[in-house]
């Protein structure tokens, strides 16, 4: 029977695969088809049996993977599908609410950067940031502060508040490291590298992207480590 374990296992297999999605122009690293399961077959079963919790988890995992690999078109669609299920009234918030809050907020900043509709995405960004701030203030600084800082950094970067962005990126990296969230440390480091890349500061961009790739490798995602390396500016080897 299909369950959360199979969904999560396939997501992990997608992360640790040593083939980069850009090798295949049609490759989508968020598609949960592989050794553990077939996404289309699973979704058909979920639909037929009205397994809304499993549908919701599939959309959550695909939102995460597609954001992580910069497939913002797919991530936007997964966000929409997740919200549709969530608003059907057949949902009880579980641990994935924190993850969805984080990746919705980060996706919203990415969409704003790419010229997405401000009236759609800005409220998603600001609401997600406010929710994560609440988690940090009321529940756990340890678990949530670094995530709040990364979301804040990304929106500040979009809005051209570069000093605020740099301070928040650094705080996110530092706290993720201090509290041993190596995946979040990798993400914040990557995003700071991309921030410098967008500003044309290739030396700083290379430094942070190289660090991010090493952190993703430490975490265990060869595919993502390789993905980051491919984003690095082509500098002389002495600059790396």
């Amino acid at each position: 029977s299909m369950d959360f374990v199979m969904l999560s296992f396939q997501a992990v297999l997608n992360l640790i695969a040593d083939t980069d999605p850009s090798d295949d122009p049609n490759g989508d690293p968020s598609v949960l088809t592989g050794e553990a399961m077939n996404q289309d077959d699973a979704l058909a079963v979920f639909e037929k049996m009205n397994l809304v919790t499993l549908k919701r988890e599939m959309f959550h995992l695909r939102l995460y993977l597609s954001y992580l690999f910069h497939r913002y078109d797919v991530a936007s669609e997964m966000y929409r599908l997740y919200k549709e299920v969530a608003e059907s009234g057949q949902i009880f918030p579980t641990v994935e609410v924190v993850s969805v809050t984080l990746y919705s907020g980060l996706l919203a900043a990415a969409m704003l950067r790419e010229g997405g509709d401000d009236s759609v995405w800005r409220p998603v960004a600001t609401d997600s940031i406010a929710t994560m701030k609440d988690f940090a203030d009321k529940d756990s600084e340890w678990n949530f502060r670094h995530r709040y800082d990364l979301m804040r950094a990304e929106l500040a970067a979009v809005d051209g508040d570069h000093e605020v962005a740099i301070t928040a990126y650094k705080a996110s990296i530092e706290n993720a490291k201090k509290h041993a969230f190596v995946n979040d440390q990798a993400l914040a480091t990557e995003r700071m590298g991309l921030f410098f890349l967008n500003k044309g500061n290739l030396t700083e961009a290379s430094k942070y992207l190289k660090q991010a790739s090493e952190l993703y490798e430490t975490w265990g995602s060869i595919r993502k480590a390789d993905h980051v390396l491919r984003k690095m500016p082509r500098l002389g080897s002495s600059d790396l």
Side-chain angles (χ1 to χ4, degrees):
S1 68
M2 285 303 308
D3 59 14
F4 283 98
V5 175
M6 279 191 176
L7 287 165
S8 301
F9 183 43
Q10 189 58 56
V12 169
L13 290 173
N14 286 17
L15 284 166
I16 64 176
D18 58 5
T19 51
D20 188 277
S22 61
D23 289 339
D24 172 6
N26 302 310
D28 178 355
S30 80
V31 172
L32 297 174
T33 294
E35 197 182 317
M37 61 175 278
N38 178 289
Q39 177 179 285
D40 293 342
D41 293 349
L43 192 54
V45 172
F46 299 166
E47 295 282 6
K48 186 178 176 187
M49 299 181 70
N50 197 32
L51 300 171
V52 288
T53 306
L54 289 171
K55 266 168 65 178
R56 189 187 80 209
E57 181 60 7
M58 178 183 279
F59 300 146
H60 157 233
L61 288 170
R62 293 198 64 203
L63 166 65
Y64 162 62
L65 287 168
S66 49
Y67 172 81
L68 192 66
F69 286 96
H70 306 177
R71 291 293 300 271
Y72 305 129
D73 53 340
V74 179
S76 300
E77 179 63 5
M78 291 307 121
Y79 172 74
R80 186 187 68 76
L81 290 168
Y82 180 91
K83 292 295 283 184
E84 214 171 71
V85 176
E87 285 161 10
S88 69
Q90 300 171 292
I91 180 171
F92 297 96
T94 57
V95 70
E96 106 270 353
V97 167
V98 172
S99 177
V100 170
T101 300
L102 173 62
Y103 291 103
S104 300
L106 294 175
L107 170 64
M111 292 303 290
L112 290 169
R113 186 182 290 114
E114 308 253 315
D117 186 340
D118 199 87
S119 68
V120 172
W121 290 108
R122 189 163 293 274
V124 176
T126 53
D127 290 354
S128 301
I129 289 169
T131 301
M132 193 64 76
K133 186 176 189 300
D134 267 358
F135 289 154
D137 290 345
K138 296 174 186 169
D139 297 319
S140 169
E141 284 277 325
W142 183 286
N143 287 317
F144 304 124
R145 180 64 60 190
H146 67 280
R147 292 169 176 150
Y148 163 68
D149 281 330
L150 176 56
M151 296 162 80
R152 206 163 55 87
E154 283 285 282
L155 191 58
V158 168
D159 290 338
D161 299 331
H162 293 164
E163 293 309 311
V164 172
I166 289 168
T167 304
Y169 282 125
K170 285 183 174 170
S172 181
I173 293 165
E174 201 49 50
N175 279 320
K177 182 180 180 180
K178 191 163 67 176
H179 299 150
F181 291 100
V182 68
N183 56 322
D184 290 339
Q185 184 190 350
L187 179 59
T189 305
E190 177 195 3
R191 287 285 149 181
M192 191 163 189
L194 293 172
F195 165 78
F196 282 122
L197 192 59
N198 287 336
K199 286 185 71 179
N201 186 335
L202 302 190
T203 308
E204 287 295 289
S206 292
K207 182 179 90 175
Y208 282 100
L209 291 173
K210 185 168 186 288
Q211 282 175 16
S213 182
E214 288 165 0
L215 287 163
Y216 280 122
E217 195 166 342
T218 300
W219 181 49
S221 180
I222 306 304
R223 189 177 192 172
K224 180 59 191 175
D226 195 33
H227 180 254
V228 174
L229 285 183
R230 290 173 186 236
K231 296 286 174 192
M232 284 179 64
R234 297 283 171 251
L235 300 178
S237 56
S238 62
D239 292 316
L240 303 180

